[in-house]
Amino acid sequence: VDGVPTCDVIVGPGNRWVTAAKRYVSGSVGIDMLAGPSELVVWGDNSADSDVIAADLIAQAEHDTDALPILVTTSKDLVEQVNAALSSQLSSLPNGATAEVAVGNGFAVLVDSVEQAAEACNRLAPEHLEVHVEALEDATEGPKMEHQSRLSLR
């Protein structure tokens, strides 16, 4: 681009437009990677704060309409509470159009046990996995979570 100084490397996340721009300049400057849509899986139980989970799901959903926010839980009540919190938070978000589309693409996985929750998380193999459960040792010592790029324990 005329008037824009060159650089050595372009790094960092972004949406489909950032990926397209990195692909375009990759022969001229270094890039870290061509990333796909962002996805976040939150594993929560009935002790989890639905407002915090909704805010985290929206934070990923804001990146791109192709982002995929997912909740894995053993609690039907948590699914309902997170859905209500998502609606409330999206309605008050100034630039919520992108997040609203992405949240509409997301889903909840209702499972019967910690083992099934861990298996669902492994099968989804998300970019980001957050664990919001009361007994973290049950989530980390039993079934192993093996397939995610970043793991956050809350």
Side-chain angles (χ1 to χ4, degrees), residues 21-81:
K22 284 181 175 182
R23 182 176 289 119
Y24 181 76
V25 302
S26 67
S28 304
V29 301
I31 63 168
D32 57 349
M33 67 179 167
L34 296 173
S38 180
E39 71 270 341
L40 167 65
V41 171
V42 176
W43 171 4
D45 64 13
N46 58 3
S47 72
D49 185 329
S50 58
D51 288 324
V52 171
I53 290 174
D56 288 350
L57 292 171
I58 289 170
Q60 282 298 311
E62 288 180 313
H63 289 217
D64 190 342
T65 57
D66 293 331
L68 190 58
I70 302 167
L71 172 64
V72 174
T73 184
T74 54
S75 171
K76 185 176 180 186
D77 289 341
L78 183 64
V79 173
E80 293 168 3
Q81 293 165 3

Side-chain angles (χ1 to χ4, degrees), residues 51 54 70 88 107 119 136 141:
D51 288 324
I70 302 167
S88 173
F107 55 90
E119 178 63 22
L136 281 175
E141 291 177 5

Side-chain angles (χ1 to χ4, degrees), residues 117-140:
E119 178 63 22
C121 292
N122 280 328
R123 285 180 180 250
L124 290 164
E127 177 184 10
H128 305 285
L129 173 61
E130 291 183 8
V131 180
H132 296 249
V133 297
E134 186 169 21
L136 281 175
E137 61 279 353
D138 290 345
T140 58

Side-chain angles (χ1 to χ4, degrees), residues 12-19 22 35-38 63-64:
N15 59 23
R16 68 179 84 177
W17 307 113
V18 172
T19 299
K22 284 181 175 182
S38 180
H63 289 217
D64 190 342

